[in-house]
Amino acid sequence: MDFGNLADHFDGVAAKVLSTVETVGRSSNQHELDGVKVLQALFGRPSAKLTIPTRFLRVSDETDEPTSEDGTLTYYDARINTPNRSEYRLYYPASVDVMRTAEAGDIVFIAKRKDGGALFIVAPAGSTVAAQLDWLFGTAVLEHSGFSVRSALENDSLPLTAMYLLDTLGISVEPSNDDWLDRVLERFGPRFPTSAEFGAFARSTLPGLHPADDPDSVLMAWMEREELLFRTLERHLAADTLESLYSEGRVDLDRFIEVSLSLHNRRKSRAGRGLENHLIALFAALHLRHTFNPVTEQRIRPDFIFPSIDEYRNPTFPDGDLTMLGVKTSCKDRWRQVLSEASRVPDKHLLTLESPISVAQTDEMRDHRIQLVIPRPLHQPFKPQQQQWLMSLADFAKLANERDRRGPAQIALL
């Protein structure tokens, strides 16, 4: 399913690779971007200086939350009084830290919001988050020498991964379906159930799906349905909570911030636990033996061990028939955490919903003997050479099952 449309949030977007003179540093102090005439498609041809309320964001692969600050962009025609000539310029404030730390080669995305404001996002060159923003906005920025501009976004539907990405940018995508609210409240009442309870309920609303038919598509359908149901319930419960924060026309600001952070953290933790719960159910439906979150060396807990922790702890069981699967909804630089898990398994597998991931990062994963497992519906945004290497969930299940069948037979011959 889709979670709305990009045009619900933006009128258009432009992106470009920053040059040295466009950044703030010893070699430049111009505080403007070049080649902005094409931005008329976004900002028109103003007869006076256009001041655009802007949120400046610096994103990276090292942190989950972007660095942000509020300011303004200034767009105007410097030749407005010269007949038959125009020279448009786009200035950013010299004081904006986001641009003070930018480097040549970084990519800037300027997204015009429906309310007339803008997002000004700087992403490091070659990073995964830059690749993801380029995919989200459809800018194909590396194929252009200057600005890549898109002013028609009506056909850009938002899949689950796009909704997660917009969440990190502070863009609230609130899918809800009141048709489901009565069923959710009838089942759980006005409360948040446990992740396991809610995941089981979400799966029960899709009775026609069976993992054996297409495990990759089934997993994504389960995740999407749970997200829709959860946000439907969250919206209902949050309305009462937020209303209680108003007292005699005034807002309890400290309490408001506390509630907002609680909602944000609940969403993040629930998504991770939800993915784990759906995988447990999927592996069970496929009759694939596994142990979830067992204790191994140095009391480290990998997410999944196949065929089970008993075989892992059995020194006579062949190392080559053991499989470890790490699970992260968004891996960023956290993928390195799996390197220290399950030392008996040198070639590790990591499942994530993050898509796409930069070529540099997947190359590094391969160098560290990590095989990336991505549900097949999320393969398309990856580069062709990456797609050939990616493993689908169906491929992974087949591998783990084959190793399980081989292991006991080999032990019997010892």
Side-chain angles (χ1 to χ4, degrees):
M1 66 172 290
D2 296 322
F3 294 89
N5 197 287
L6 197 61
D8 297 336
H9 308 279
F10 303 103
D11 286 328
V13 63
K16 74 171 302 185
V17 178
L18 290 173
S19 65
T20 300
V21 297
E22 292 173 310
T23 62
V24 179
R26 287 176 295 179
S27 60
S28 174
N29 287 296
Q30 69 177 32
H31 309 140
E32 65 178 305
L33 301 184
D34 295 330
V36 302
K37 186 175 182 179
V38 294
L39 296 187
Q40 293 177 46
L42 294 184
F43 302 121
R45 298 172 58 89
S47 58
K49 284 187 178 181
L50 179 63
T51 301
I52 306 162
T54 302
R55 171 149 292 182
F56 294 85
L57 302 170
R58 174 76 181 185
V59 295
S60 74
D61 293 345
E62 286 72 41
T63 59
D64 289 330
E65 303 296 332
T67 301
S68 68
E69 54 191 308
D70 292 325
T72 59
L73 289 171
T74 303
Y75 179 74
Y76 74 103
D77 183 2
R79 302 285 183 175
I80 192 67
N81 295 319
T82 304
N84 303 318
R85 185 175 180 185
S86 62
E87 183 181 321
Y88 284 91
R89 297 179 179 178
L90 183 70
Y91 280 89
Y92 59 83
S95 59
V96 173
D97 287 337
V98 163
M99 284 300 288
R100 295 182 69 84
T101 58
E103 300 178 354
D106 289 352
I107 299 175
V108 59
F109 299 86
I110 303 172
K112 183 184 177 186
R113 302 188 61 168
K114 302 296 289 187
D115 60 5
L119 291 184
F120 187 102
I121 311 165
V122 179
S127 63
T128 286
V129 68
Q132 290 172 349
L133 291 169
D134 196 32
W135 161 77
L136 172 69
F137 293 127
T139 42
V141 63
L142 297 181
E143 299 176 12
H144 296 78
S145 58
F147 269 108
S148 170
V149 180
R150 295 191 65 221
S151 55
L153 308 175
E154 289 77 10
N155 297 323
D156 292 23
S157 57
L158 299 174
L160 181 64
T161 49
M163 187 186 71
Y164 288 157
L165 183 55
L166 285 172
D167 276 348
T168 67
L169 300 178
I171 302 298
S172 180
V173 181
E174 299 301 333
S176 65
N177 188 326
D178 291 339
D179 294 339
W180 285 106
L181 181 58
D182 289 343
R183 287 186 59 180
V184 174
L185 292 176
E186 180 181 356
R187 179 69 174 269
F188 302 112
R191 68 177 180 91
F192 286 112
T194 67
S195 178
E197 290 175 319
F198 208 74
F201 174 69
R203 294 190 296 273
S204 74
T205 67
L206 295 166
L209 299 183
H210 194 283
D213 298 329
D214 185 350
D216 296 86
S217 296
V218 169
L219 176 64
M220 293 307 300
W222 285 350
M223 289 290 295
E224 290 165 354
R225 177 56 58 85
E226 180 176 356
E227 196 68 49
L228 173 63
L229 297 177
F230 175 82
R231 298 210 180 193
T232 297
L233 176 61
E234 180 188 59
R235 185 172 183 173
H236 172 75
L237 297 180
D240 292 338
T241 301
L242 293 175
E243 185 176 348
S244 68
L245 298 181
Y246 290 83
S247 175
E248 298 179 356
R250 300 179 63 185
V251 181
D252 183 341
L253 184 58
D254 290 339
R255 177 62 177 152
F256 179 83
I257 295 173
E258 179 183 339
V259 170
S260 297
L261 288 174
S262 176
L263 290 172
H264 180 67
N265 291 333
R266 182 188 291 115
R267 284 185 177 184
K268 290 176 59 178
S269 61
R270 184 206 54 80
R273 291 196 300 270
L275 177 58
E276 293 170 347
N277 290 330
H278 290 313
L279 285 171
I280 291 170
L282 185 142
F283 294 145
L286 295 176
H287 307 291
L288 190 61
R289 289 201 303 140
H290 65 278
T291 303
F292 173 67
N293 205 214
V295 177
T296 59
E297 302 88 355
Q298 300 178 358
R299 302 197 64 78
I300 294 175
R301 289 181 174 272
D303 291 312
F304 289 93
I305 291 290
F306 302 83
S308 80
I309 190 61
D310 292 333
E311 280 84 359
Y312 185 89
R313 292 171 179 164
N314 180 354
T316 65
F317 191 87
D319 290 355
D321 287 323
L322 295 170
T323 307
M324 189 216 82
L325 179 68
V327 176
K328 297 184 184 299
T329 52
S330 172
C331 58
K332 289 189 176 287
D333 267 8
R334 293 188 302 275
W335 63 268
R336 293 182 178 83
Q337 294 170 359
V338 305
L339 295 174
S340 63
E341 299 173 355
S343 59
R344 284 192 64 186
V345 184
D347 295 295
K348 306 179 192 301
H349 290 77
L350 173 62
L351 183 145
T352 182
L353 303 184
E354 194 163 36
S355 172
I357 295 174
S358 70
V359 172
Q361 192 166 352
T362 55
D363 285 348
E364 189 176 358
M365 289 177 176
R366 279 200 276 192
D367 290 342
H368 285 84
R369 301 174 69 175
I370 291 179
Q371 172 63 59
L372 202 56
V373 181
I374 303 282
R376 192 168 294 281
L378 304 182
H379 284 202
Q380 189 277 329
F382 285 84
K383 301 293 185 183
Q385 67 269 30
Q386 294 174 298
Q387 293 183 31
Q388 295 176 7
W389 167 72
L390 293 177
M391 178 176 280
S392 69
L393 185 54
D395 293 335
F396 173 81
K398 180 180 179 181
L399 172 68
N401 188 51
E402 289 174 348
R403 289 179 174 180
D404 191 9
R405 288 201 302 268
R406 282 205 314 268
Q410 292 183 9
I411 291 175
L413 297 175
L414 295 177

